[in-house]
Amino acid sequence: MSGLHIIQYDVVVIGGGPAGMAAAVKAKELGLNVLLLDDNEYLGGILPQCIHPGFGIHYFKEELTGPEFAYRLTKRALELGVDYYTAARVLEIKNYSDIEKVVIFSSPKGAFEVWTKTIIYAAGARERHAFEIGIVGDRGAGIYTAGEAQTLMDIYGIMPGREIVIVGSGDVGLIMARRFALEGANVKAVIELMPYPGGLARNIMILKDFDIPLYLSHKVVEVKGKNRVERVKVIKVDENLNEIPGTEFWIECDTVVISAGLIPSVKLLTNIGAEIDPATGGPIVNDLFETTIPGIFAAGNTVLINDLVDYVAEQGELAAYGAKLFIENGGIPTKHWIKLRKGENVRLLIPHYLSGERDVFIYARVKRPMENVEVRFPEIGKRLRLPIVKPAEMLRLKLRKEDIAKAKDEITMEVVPL
Amino acid sequence: MKTKVAIIGAGISGASIARVLSRYENLEVHLIEKAPDVGWGVSKANTALIHGGYDDDPKKYPMRAKLCIKGNRLWHEWVKELQIPHIWNGALIVATKEEDFDELERLIERGRENGIPEMRIVDRDELFHLEPGLTKEAIGALWVPIVGQIGPIPAVIAIVENAVANGVKTHLETEVRGIKVENGEVKGVETNNGFIEADIVINAAGLYADEVARMAGIDYFEIHPRKGEYFLFDDAIPGPKRVLFPTPTPISKGIVVTTEISGHLMIGPNAQDLPPEEKEDLATTRGGLEQVWEGAKKLWPNLPPKWKVIRTFAGLRPEPTGGDFIIKAEEEVWGFINVAGIRSPGLTSAPAIAYEVAEIIQCDLGVGLVEKTKWNPYRKEITHFFMLSPAQINELVKKNPAYGKVICRCNHVSEGDVLEAIERMKFIGVKMPSVDSVKFRTKATTGTCQGSFCRPRIIQLLAKEYNIPPWKVTLKGSGSEIGIGDVKVLVRGDEA
């Protein structure tokens, strides 16, 4: 192509959040020639706006804030001399062959065509917004996703409003409830559709700490306020999530914060035909986080929505290791893959395929909360007891390669009451 | 001496009139709009169709029947001269019952009467060849190749930019409070920004045309709003290639299924009549959206799941007393021209309406129009990063690095696009920096994520360019500010 700057790498990492940065650092440590790309002005992804603690206990063995976590990875990447571009948006990925791929990106320095042997796709996720969850009514100012409100407050210093209703009790919503309360806003309610809260236990505590009412089994159905939000209509739902007529009430507010879950960003992957798991919304991956397209790896929230940044970084490292193995062998050498299947009370799990050649962490979420359960893998006779499982908290379980190797073609994971 | 013309309303009608009148040496044209930007009223939310002109009965609605097809033909020129995003993809009016063919035959007949020879019936086989995703109930259709789609607000913006380049003066955020009439002649327009002197006042005030007419003492018609609601789906959802209509009923053209010009499957509208005082009610309703869903399903059974909806919105059509467009010089007030009740197919008819008004000025008001020797019919479209090749990006980046920096992830809008949008906003006199003004020019914030990534970045760019604190940037004009102050505003107890 004429007029394009052409460059060459072993691995191009798309996304400079925790998964991408951990992947780039690890790939560099493994001796690969790596390019890291991010479309923000700064590295770190969403971390620089997460000014609360709770990051890094597993990965750095100490509790950090988001900016601190991002700083550590950035510092390491700079020390190692990882090549990177910020304000760089990947426009297209082309998969010419197993060992020849092209990444086209644009930046203030121009458009580039990168030839690479492998790609690690760590594009993160986006938030569901008001229209996707069926809210009707007016479309004035004051309706934000939780992440956008967080960007406005913690990156740009803008106070979005003073009377706040939070839709959804996921972690981002709860953290934003606290954030607003700390700045003196009146957080009038958190409205949760499900009969149980959506966030981690430590974040549910925020509601008690700041005396914020939580409405379980309720939903926001309408927003009023032509120029600016004036009030929202809330209705109760039954156990099948059907609205109960006559239970409607209005809450006066000037701001609605939508925290209704995240959706993996996979557009560039699907454009080149990577298979997507409808349960996670992310690509189907093996135990090296390789997608169904050889040499294209994925990591972090683009694969599945994680609750801890530590897991995200861990996945990035594994993908880097996968890229190294891929380059050295001209492809991942595993001949026989064992499929990991969802059984009783398992909503989603990754990786989808296991080699049995290495120990793996399985990341899974249950469908509904349960106490005193056993997690079973019947084909290999492995069992594990847990006092409690919740949809909001991801299960991360280790399977040893010796155990995995006992299976022929499939391993099922089920979560059953004792 | 120049004849001063004041056009009230910078929607598609007012803008088109301004453009056509900008051709004449002896007119001084003022375009007055109460909103902060152009095209934000009725023109903003509609089905964005350039209709085929076959369905208005010339006996019942002579103006509509005449101007729709004339407008369609003119749009084929205007989209080229003004580089307005468009597609001529044609329409299928789908029959699902044998009786429907009687109505389709009637439409062909009426089409011929209105001057549209290019229509024909397609049989079931051809229909499914054209649109495999249609309902299996379909048994044939009327094929109208001259139907198309445009971006309605981009069209208004393009027309106004061209009009301003040709000397039209805009007055935005200017609300008309009164019409000055002396001895049966208009003298000008009272506004919140002072008096604008005029020899001719053109009332293109959309939903408020009845109120503006009453200011001049003309009260023979009333406008009531008819609400239509729409769903817009994510861009990866396959939609039809052509515009799909059901066979019309006596009261409605029916719910349309189409892929709008940005590639999103769109369905709508329903029709709900509102009382005349509810001209600001743009709220979507669950009942209305349900109607749209059910109606669309009849044509396009494979509607995506509801969580693939990226936006729902409502628009209002100004329904006049009598139903036909009211386009005339009012005899009791010399110099006052009504362009009122411009409901569907108003977008299609707009260029023809403009020429009609020029004709009225000449014939009924007796103002001889003198053409300018140098009138510029062309306007260049804003740079759209998403349309550039990598080589073109590199050319632009040499001039300004901002063109290489993508700020809208979903639609690939660059910072350069946004800065250019701001320049164009200033060129036509937009005073109030708003996210919507950028959105309608660049498509930023209209993608899958609906702006949660790029809106904060656009706010920064606007704040910087207009030199105001970021929280004072508005979503869509005064009262829709993004925030209330810096993050310590509540703790401090004073508002920034």
Side-chain angles (χ1 to χ4, degrees), chain B residues 306-321:
Chain B
K306 288 244 169 84
W307 55 270
K308 287 284 186 187
V309 171
I310 61 163
R311 196 168 183 86
T312 53
F313 63 95
L316 299 173
R317 296 95 103 171
E319 286 292 326
T321 309

Side-chain angles (χ1 to χ4, degrees), chain B residues 179 181 211-220 332-333 336:
Chain B
I179 310 284
V181 180
E211 292 173 28
V212 169
R214 280 199 289 275
M215 290 175 193
I218 291 155
D219 60 0
Y220 64 87
E332 59 267 50
V333 183
F336 190 81

Side-chain angles (χ1 to χ4, degrees), chain B residues 1 4 11 35 44 93 97 148 155 176 269 287 374 418 464 493:
Chain B
M1 213 183 71
K4 289 185 177 170
K44 183 164 105 167
I93 299 103
K97 303 186 292 290
V176 172
K374 282 187 209 152
V418 175
K464 199 172 150 219

Side-chain angles (χ1 to χ4, degrees), chain A residues 2-3 39-41 106-108 110-111 129 131 137 139 144 148 156-157 159 162 183 226-228 243, chain B residues 280 282 284 286 311 391 394 397 404-405 409 448 455 457 460 481-488 490-491 495:
Chain A
S2 65
D39 68 359
N40 260 325
E41 302 259 7
S106 177
S107 77
H129 50 70
F131 296 103
R139 296 167 297 284
Y144 299 103
E148 186 185 357
Y156 298 116
M159 188 68 188
R162 62 165 62 73
E183 293 300 347
K226 202 174 79 72
N227 288 320
R228 174 89 202 185
E243 293 167 20
Chain B
E280 298 287 319
L282 286 164
T284 53
R286 302 181 92 190
R311 196 168 183 86
N394 281 334
V397 164
K405 185 173 158 193
R409 292 178 176 181
T448 309
R455 199 162 23 234
R457 301 180 188 187
Q460 300 310 308
E481 284 74 16
I482 290 304
I484 57 171
D486 66 43
V487 280
K488 296 298 173 193
L490 293 175
V491 176
E495 283 180 37

Side-chain angles (χ1 to χ4, degrees), chain B residues 8-9 13-14 34 42 176 179 201-225 276 279-280 317-321 324-328 330 336-343:
Chain B
I8 302 169
S13 302
K34 68 175 176 170
V42 175
V176 172
I179 310 284
V201 172
I202 299 164
N203 172 19
L207 288 159
Y208 297 90
D210 53 349
E211 292 173 28
V212 169
R214 280 199 289 275
M215 290 175 193
I218 291 155
D219 60 0
Y220 64 87
F221 67 91
E222 191 173 67
I223 303 286
H224 79 262
K279 288 172 174 170
E280 298 287 319
R317 296 95 103 171
E319 286 292 326
T321 309
D324 202 4
F325 295 158
I326 299 162
I327 303 170
K328 61 188 275 211
E330 298 297 344
F336 190 81
I337 300 173
N338 268 317
V339 179
I342 311 299
R343 37 94 80 199

Side-chain angles (χ1 to χ4, degrees), chain A residues 355-375:
Chain A
S355 64
E357 293 160 15
R358 58 193 77 83
D359 298 350
V360 296
F361 283 113
I362 290 174
Y363 305 88
R365 283 186 196 272
V366 295
K367 289 179 184 161
R368 42 184 193 280
M370 250 183 213
E371 287 183 24
N372 293 320
V373 297
E374 197 165 68
V375 181

Side-chain angles (χ1 to χ4, degrees), chain B residues 130-349:
Chain B
L130 291 170
E131 289 297 344
L134 256 176
T135 172
K136 297 293 167 240
E137 317 259 292
I139 51 177
L142 177 61
W143 168 232
V144 191
I146 61 166
V147 170
Q149 294 173 266
I150 64 171
I153 309 187
V156 179
I157 291 166
I159 294 168
V160 172
E161 283 180 2
N162 181 241
V164 169
N166 283 305
V168 170
K169 296 186 176 56
T170 59
H171 305 258
L172 300 182
E173 294 181 60
T174 302
E175 191 172 348
V176 172
R177 303 252 166 95
I179 310 284
K180 191 175 174 190
V181 180
E182 273 177 15
N183 306 323
E185 284 181 22
V186 286
K187 293 291 172 195
V189 179
E190 317 267 7
T191 78
N192 58 324
N193 288 327
F195 183 70
I196 298 168
E197 204 185 306
D199 309 306
I200 296 173
V201 172
I202 299 164
N203 172 19
L207 288 159
Y208 297 90
D210 53 349
E211 292 173 28
V212 169
R214 280 199 289 275
M215 290 175 193
I218 291 155
D219 60 0
Y220 64 87
F221 67 91
E222 191 173 67
I223 303 286
H224 79 262
R226 181 172 288 172
K227 190 190 275 189
E229 295 172 61
Y230 297 84
F231 285 94
L232 208 54
F233 297 90
D234 202 0
D235 56 6
I237 306 291
K241 286 195 208 64
R242 291 152 189 88
V243 182
L244 304 180
F245 288 92
T247 299
T249 65
I251 51 164
S252 163
K253 285 196 275 253
I255 288 159
V256 172
V257 178
T258 185
T259 303
E260 53 88 83
I261 49 164
S262 304
H264 298 269
L265 171 63
M266 185 172 89
I267 59 175
N270 61 330
Q272 192 203 349
D273 284 313
L274 303 181
E277 61 276 12
E278 286 183 22
K279 288 172 174 170
E280 298 287 319
D281 180 5
L282 286 164
T284 53
T285 64
R286 302 181 92 190
L289 289 171
E290 195 53 34
Q291 267 182 348
V292 168
W293 191 271
E294 291 308 312
K297 222 165 65 179
K298 285 183 196 152
L299 278 184
W300 198 256
N302 289 323
L303 286 179
K306 288 244 169 84
W307 55 270
K308 287 284 186 187
V309 171
I310 61 163
R311 196 168 183 86
T312 53
F313 63 95
L316 299 173
R317 296 95 103 171
E319 286 292 326
T321 309
D324 202 4
F325 295 158
I326 299 162
I327 303 170
K328 61 188 275 211
E330 298 297 344
E331 280 165 23
E332 59 267 50
V333 183
W334 196 93
F336 190 81
I337 300 173
N338 268 317
V339 179
I342 311 299
R343 37 94 80 199
S344 179
L347 178 66
T348 311
S349 307

